[in-house]
Amino acid sequence: MPLVSPTADAALLLLLGVTLVAAGQLSRRRYTRLVEYGERTRGTVVAIQGQGDDRLATIRFTTRTQQKITDLVYHSAYTVGDEVPILYDPAVPSHYAIGEGSPLGFYGLTIGGGWLVLYALWRLVF
């Protein structure tokens, strides 16, 4: 006997799918705001932790208002002293992208969540 009914299974998949679609759309909104209103600056790699492909780079940049932002990012190709292009949201400078950013994250979340929603609905109907 299954621990969870097929209807409960489908309901959980539906909830997960809707959550992924919502996360994808929030990510899209953040990316669009960054592209439309973001400001450009240069960041510097100030430290590297780890080895090989599991390296974390500490990136530091200064905003137009002289606020200093320091963050860890996964990137195995950086070395200490490298300069990287930064695009940041002046309203929330901790929201930034290295380079131009990429919309691929929200596409993946939205499409994956959409497929889960469709599958859950199919399970509920059939």
Side-chain angles (χ1 to χ4, degrees):
M1 179 172 185
L3 295 175
V4 180
S5 73
T7 303
D9 252 2
L12 287 172
L13 287 174
L14 183 63
L15 179 62
L16 178 61
V18 168
T19 301
L20 287 174
V21 169
Q25 292 309 301
L26 287 173
S27 176
R28 180 189 62 80
R29 204 165 100 205
R30 179 187 275 185
Y31 174 78
T32 301
R33 177 175 169 73
L34 193 58
V35 169
E36 288 180 12
Y37 303 107
E39 294 189 10
R40 297 181 192 294
T41 190
R42 304 286 298 170
T44 304
V45 177
V46 295
I48 299 290
Q49 299 172 17
Q51 298 177 10
D53 290 339
D54 293 328
R55 293 173 16 144
L56 287 170
T58 302
I59 307 275
R60 183 173 295 144
F61 66 93
T62 305
T63 67
R64 180 176 39 86
T65 60
Q66 301 306 307
Q67 181 179 0
K68 295 196 182 310
I69 305 293
T70 303
D71 200 9
L72 287 172
V73 296
Y74 283 103
H75 204 294
S76 60
Y78 292 148
T79 58
V80 173
D82 284 352
E83 284 200 358
V84 294
I86 301 286
L87 179 64
Y88 71 92
D89 184 343
V92 186
S94 60
H95 294 175
Y96 70 92
I98 297 174
E100 296 297 317
S102 172
L104 294 179
F106 66 76
Y107 286 136
L109 288 170
T110 302
I111 291 169
W115 277 111
L116 273 177
V117 167
L118 290 174
Y119 178 68
L121 292 174
W122 178 78
R123 294 265 320 248
L124 285 171
V125 172
F126 299 105

